[in-house]
Amino acid sequence: MKLDMALKEMGRQSESYSGGGDGEIVDFYGFSSSSEEEEELFVPPLNFSMVDVGVFRSGFPDVANFGFLETLKLRSILYLCPEPYPEANMGFLEENGIRLFQFGMEGGKEPFVSIPDDTIREALKVVLDVRNHPLLIHCKRGKHRTGCVVGCLRKLQRWCLSSIFDEYQRFAAAKARVSDQRFMELFDVSSLKHLQSSLIFWKR
Amino acid sequence: MKLDMALKEMGRQSESYSGGGDGEIVDFYGFSSSSEEEEELFVPPLNFSMVDVGVFRSGFPDVANFGFLETLKLRSILYLCPEPYPEANMGFLEENGIRLFQFGMEGGKEPFVSIPDDTIREALKVVLDVRNHPLLIHCKRGKHRTGCVVGCLRKLQRWCLSSIFDEYQRFAAAKARVSDQRFMELFDVSSLKHLQSSLIFWKR
């Protein structure tokens, strides 16, 4: 994956150099000192992190993050907000052959928010299906909705609740919600256990 | 990796059942409902996270975390404190054939702390060597020393500083140090670029 990233990046640099006319020295691999100074920096989305092999999480990606996301060679994106996906992001998906799974959940504040158990369950089925990997889970800020999906995944992976909450709080920080944590605590994973056969990174 | 975890876990359960005498039904795979109720929960160490394929980070692991760490099939641990490694942890390493790399750095508070550039550099060489993977980086709380090593690794992966700091702060939270972030900003990765050939998850 990361090797691909480097090769793609080298390819991108070579393209920018290959426009030179006759007699110019073309630095196909971008190894010259000048190209090193100009090398592009990657901008991962806010709250980006690796959840497990083939599964990532983040806040809403924007145009500045597309270069980084390309390096992940995503096969799908799991989008957890009800709002339509922005045009620029749709374009990015089309260009990179990425499939969009949308499970819209309201992001309202406590105590008015109610987390739809069925939606989380359907979203988890997408995450658990290795044919969708590499996959990025995201909502708006990568805190509550994404945090609940990842927390329920950790329950399936048999993490203890205190470790699940430790991870949830790391991303939610000052915005951590007791209602989210209560949801994860009550979430019944038994109906998802039959999906184990399609998993690479978790079993039983 | 996670498949191994499941198989190992199933093996562990079958051991606990195989002691039954003649005539008892032995549930080799732990699929009975009673075994499901009793199934062991995993306790990842505080501040545990996946950094990249084959690289993990955390705070100090104790006995409660050993079951979870076994599932990672670690080949090495990069320990960043100057204190001797505890006996119980040494026993865990020996039982699991894990190699210990210790790069002791003082964990003192600002403004008395000075981060040793050379030590971080040597530690990074261990992280970058894929022969040491899967590898766990840890210090005491998984915030400052571990955060600096991971931050410098992100610089090598060409992450922009704001994303590096976003990640650093997620783990350090209220204990984030400007001096750590300044260290990462000034850290010169050019001398480590020749190590790219030994890497799987990062190049250039």
Side-chain angles (χ1 to χ4, degrees), chain B residues 101-113:
Chain B
F101 293 91
Q102 181 168 8
F103 293 94
M105 290 187 275
E106 294 295 338
K109 291 196 174 129
E110 284 181 304
F112 306 107
V113 65

Side-chain angles (χ1 to χ4, degrees), chain B residues 79-91:
Chain B
Y79 171 50
L80 302 172
C81 307
E83 294 81 16
Y85 216 46
E87 206 172 314
N89 295 54
M90 282 307 292

Side-chain angles (χ1 to χ4, degrees), chain A residues 46-91:
Chain A
L46 194 77
N47 260 341
F48 172 81
S49 184
M50 195 163 188
V51 176
D52 210 316
V53 175
V55 182
F56 307 92
R57 63 180 289 170
S58 75
F60 215 113
D62 69 14
V63 180
N65 311 124
F66 291 169
F68 173 77
L69 291 184
E70 276 177 17
T71 69
L72 304 178
K73 302 277 177 201
L74 295 174
R75 198 177 284 169
S76 26
I77 281 183
L78 181 64
Y79 170 51
L80 301 172
C81 308
E83 294 81 16
Y85 216 46
E87 206 172 316
N89 294 54
M90 284 305 293

Side-chain angles (χ1 to χ4, degrees), chain B residues 153-201:
Chain B
L153 177 69
R154 297 310 190 192
K155 245 190 133 165
L156 268 163
Q157 293 183 307
R158 295 200 280 126
W159 284 30
C160 65
L161 277 180
S162 55
S163 294
I164 294 174
F165 295 168
D166 179 49
E167 183 178 50
Y168 168 84
Q169 289 161 8
R170 203 178 305 137
F171 292 88
K175 304 284 186 184
R177 293 176 182 164
V178 176
S179 57
D180 283 353
Q181 293 175 74
R182 185 82 187 128
F183 176 83
M184 294 182 251
E185 182 175 0
L186 294 174
F187 188 77
D188 177 15
V189 296
S190 58
S191 75
L192 292 163
K193 292 200 171 182
H194 69 283
L195 292 172
Q196 57 177 300
S197 60
S198 64
L199 289 175
I200 222 169
F201 66 93

Side-chain angles (χ1 to χ4, degrees), chain A residues 1-3 5 48-56 68 71-72, chain B residues 1 48-57 72 127-128 133-137 150 153-154 156-157 159 167 199-203:
Chain A
M1 185 173 69
K2 295 305 160 76
L3 180 60
M5 167 182 105
F48 172 81
S49 184
M50 195 163 188
V51 176
D52 210 316
V53 175
V55 182
F56 307 92
F68 173 77
T71 69
L72 304 178
Chain B
M1 186 174 68
F48 173 81
S49 185
M50 194 162 190
V51 176
D52 210 317
V53 175
V55 182
F56 306 92
R57 63 180 289 169
L72 304 179
V127 177
L128 295 171
H133 296 185
L135 169 142
L136 172 69
I137 307 168
V150 172
L153 177 69
R154 297 310 190 192
L156 268 163
Q157 293 183 307
W159 284 30
E167 183 178 50
L199 289 175
I200 222 169
F201 66 93
W202 169 82
K203 248 186 172 305

